């Protein structure tokens, strides 16, 4: 038994969410294809624009996608390890409205979950005319078996495509039943496939490692056994890969918060400038009103003088018997 694992079998906090985001970020185009999403992937957009300051919640992934006739849309992809409830679907509706407003594009909300659509909240009405109805991608036992078969059929393929390799991440994240058997099979595929190499092999190793620690946390012996199978690949991954776990994930979170603080400062500056402009307009309005009042007073005085002059002339004419 390799002693190095004795201190290294605890799973990362939010391991499933972080693994899902990482796979979708580092292999965005292939991840889009692997999930069977519509349109042609163009690029990822920042997902840190929607943040609840109390708990730091943000979108998992936000894609810019080209559909038929060259039109662009947004796709918000959300990992959902539990059944979607009213609070979460309301939050996703907030993501939708904010992103549509910011990017001026229609948005498709996609929920990826191990549970079938009918077990989720499937609709949210923010107004009578604005109704959110997400698309649900179900990664259940049947779908996991299908994806596992695709991997096994390509294990001897020297040019296995990345969107197929990503099934290692997708299966390990969403598996709910027979976790040990399926995770062990994924380890064997990763180890024995000649076509899985380079960065994607390191990335899949790290994600598989985290899912082994998380999914099998109640059985230390199973965790140790599967981690030892990945021993060599784990060391390669540790030396060479960049991933959103532990310290580095915290650094990225800190950078997001810093960028948002700068944006908030810029908005506050703009608000101050607008408030100053409003104050200047009010001062100008007051000055204008004062000048109008003075002009009205002068006009009234002139009219009074004219009326007095006319009265004086009328009296003179009357005294001379003219009228």
């Amino acid at each position: 038994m390799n002693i190095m694992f004795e201190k290294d079998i605890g799973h990362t906090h939010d391991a499933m969410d972080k693994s899902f985001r990482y796979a979708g970020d580092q292999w965005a185009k292939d991840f889009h294809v692997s999930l069977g999403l519509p349109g042609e992937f163009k690029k990822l957009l920042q997902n840190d624009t929607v943040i609840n300051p109390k708990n730091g919640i943000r979108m998992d992934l936000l894609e810019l996608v080209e559909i038929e006739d060259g039109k662009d849309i947004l796709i918000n992809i959300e990992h959902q390890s539990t059944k979607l409830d009213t609070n979460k679907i309301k939050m996703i509706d907030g993501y939708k409205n904010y992103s549509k407003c910011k990017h001026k594009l229609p948005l498709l909300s996609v929920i990826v979950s191990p549970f079938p659509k009918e077990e989720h909240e499937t609709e949210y009405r923010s107004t009578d005319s604005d109704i959110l109805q997400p698309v649900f991608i179900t990664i259940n036992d049947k779908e996991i078996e299908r994806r596992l078969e695709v991997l096994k059929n390509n294990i001897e393929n020297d040019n296995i495509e990345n969107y197929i390799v990503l099934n290692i991440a997708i299966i390990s994240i969403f598996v709910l039943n027979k976790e040990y058997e399926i995770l062990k099979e994924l380890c064997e595929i990763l180890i024995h496939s000649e076509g899985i190499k380079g960065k994607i092999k390191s990335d899949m190793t790290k994600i598989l490692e985290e899912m082994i620690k998380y999914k099998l946390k109640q059985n230390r012996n199973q965790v140790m056994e599967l981690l030892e199978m990945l021993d060599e690949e784990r060391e390669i991954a540790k030396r060479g890969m960049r991933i959103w776990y532990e310290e580095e994930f915290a650094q990225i979170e800190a950078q997001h918060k810093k960028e948002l603080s700068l944006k908030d400062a810029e908005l506050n500056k703009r608000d101050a400038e607008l408030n100053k402009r409003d104050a200047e307009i009010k001062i100008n309005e007051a000055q204008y009103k004062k000048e109008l009042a003075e002009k009205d007073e002068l006009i009234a005085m002139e009219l009074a003088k004219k009326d007095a002059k006319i009265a004086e002339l009328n009296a003179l004419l009357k005294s001379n018997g003219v009228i």
Side-chain angles (χ1 to χ4, degrees):
M1 182 178 292
N2 193 329
I3 304 221
M4 66 169 283
F5 292 133
E6 290 296 333
K7 297 181 180 179
D8 191 25
I9 65 170
H11 65 83
T12 302
H13 178 65
D14 289 337
M16 293 172 69
D17 278 337
K18 290 176 181 177
S19 296
F20 186 87
R21 289 177 186 171
Y22 182 73
D25 177 90
Q26 297 294 291
W27 303 94
K29 184 175 182 179
D30 299 298
F31 199 66
H32 178 96
V33 175
S34 192
L35 289 178
L37 296 174
E40 183 178 348
F41 173 87
K42 292 179 74 172
K43 66 177 180 178
L44 279 182
L45 300 174
Q46 280 191 329
N47 64 339
D48 62 351
T49 52
V50 181
I51 287 191
N52 182 328
K54 292 183 179 179
N55 55 25
I57 291 174
R58 70 168 185 269
M59 289 182 284
D60 285 337
L61 297 165
L62 182 62
E63 295 183 348
L64 177 65
V65 173
E66 182 179 319
I67 55 174
E68 66 274 3
D69 302 326
K71 294 179 181 177
D72 288 342
I73 66 166
L74 305 171
I75 299 182
N76 170 211
I77 310 169
E78 289 294 317
H79 163 247
Q80 190 66 28
S81 59
T82 58
K83 296 171 185 178
L84 198 63
D85 60 17
T86 303
N87 289 333
K88 185 60 185 287
I89 198 170
K90 180 179 179 181
M91 189 181 300
I92 292 170
D93 185 68
Y95 297 164
K96 176 201 71 175
N97 292 333
Y98 189 99
S99 298
K100 283 173 63 177
C101 180
K102 179 179 180 182
H103 298 286
K104 313 299 183 193
L105 288 171
L107 183 142
L108 175 68
S109 298
V110 175
I111 309 300
V112 190
S113 170
F115 303 105
K117 177 179 178 179
E118 56 269 18
E119 295 185 19
H120 296 275
E121 285 287 337
T122 60
E123 181 177 290
Y124 182 80
R125 293 172 178 261
S126 52
T127 67
D128 289 339
S129 60
D130 188 359
I131 305 170
L132 170 66
Q133 293 177 316
V135 170
F136 289 85
I137 296 175
T138 305
I139 313 293
N140 55 12
D141 292 346
K142 183 178 178 180
E143 178 64 9
I144 284 173
E145 286 298 327
R146 185 191 72 79
R147 289 175 179 268
L148 197 56
E149 195 63 30
V150 170
L151 280 168
K152 289 189 284 189
N153 289 341
N154 283 273
I155 195 169
E156 296 180 3
N157 183 354
D158 288 338
N159 298 307
I160 182 170
E161 297 191 64
N162 292 335
Y163 78 88
I164 295 176
V165 180
L166 283 168
N167 281 316
I168 294 174
I170 292 170
I171 292 170
S172 65
I173 291 168
F174 289 98
V175 63
L176 291 179
N177 300 306
K178 300 191 296 184
E179 291 100 327
Y180 167 72
E181 292 82 358
I182 290 174
L183 291 171
K184 184 175 182 179
E185 198 161 2
L186 291 175
C187 289
E188 291 170 347
I189 290 170
L190 190 60
I191 292 167
H192 296 119
S193 173
E194 294 293 331
I196 305 176
K197 50 198 169 190
K199 174 175 166 52
I200 197 163
K201 187 168 190 176
S202 293
D203 287 355
M204 294 304 98
T205 300
K206 180 60 178 175
I207 290 173
L208 188 51
E209 173 192 348
E210 290 296 333
M211 291 303 98
I212 289 168
K213 293 175 182 178
Y214 177 75
K215 302 275 184 171
L216 305 177
K217 56 183 176 287
Q218 302 301 328
N219 192 318
R220 182 184 183 87
N221 290 335
Q222 290 180 351
V223 173
M224 301 284 279
E225 176 192 348
L226 298 192
L227 290 184
E228 285 189 1
M229 287 178 67
L230 294 176
D231 191 359
E232 183 178 348
E233 293 305 326
R234 290 177 68 215
E235 285 306 298
I236 294 171
K238 283 181 181 179
R239 290 196 300 268
M241 72 184 297
R242 174 184 182 276
I243 196 165
W244 291 356
Y245 291 102
E246 300 159 357
E247 294 84 2
E248 186 161 357
F249 188 83
Q251 291 171 8
I252 292 172
E253 290 287 278
Q255 180 63 25
H256 286 162
K257 290 179 181 178
K258 181 179 178 182
E259 290 172 1
L260 286 171
S261 294
L262 291 173
K263 290 177 186 176
D264 288 341
E266 184 179 341
L267 288 173
N268 290 337
K269 181 181 178 182
R270 193 176 302 171
D271 287 342
E273 291 174 352
L274 289 173
N275 290 336
K276 181 180 178 183
R277 193 177 304 169
D278 288 343
E280 291 173 349
I281 290 171
K282 288 179 181 178
I283 291 171
N284 291 336
E285 286 179 347
Q287 183 63 31
Y288 180 66
K289 288 179 181 178
K290 181 181 178 182
E291 291 174 356
L292 282 178
E294 290 175 350
K295 288 179 181 179
D296 288 343
E297 187 177 350
L298 287 173
I299 290 170
M301 289 174 63
E302 289 298 322
L303 288 173
K305 287 180 181 178
K306 287 180 181 179
D307 290 341
K309 188 66 176 177
I310 291 170
E312 182 182 343
L313 289 173
N314 285 336
L316 183 61
L317 289 173
K318 187 175 182 180
S319 64
N320 289 320
V322 177
I323 57 173

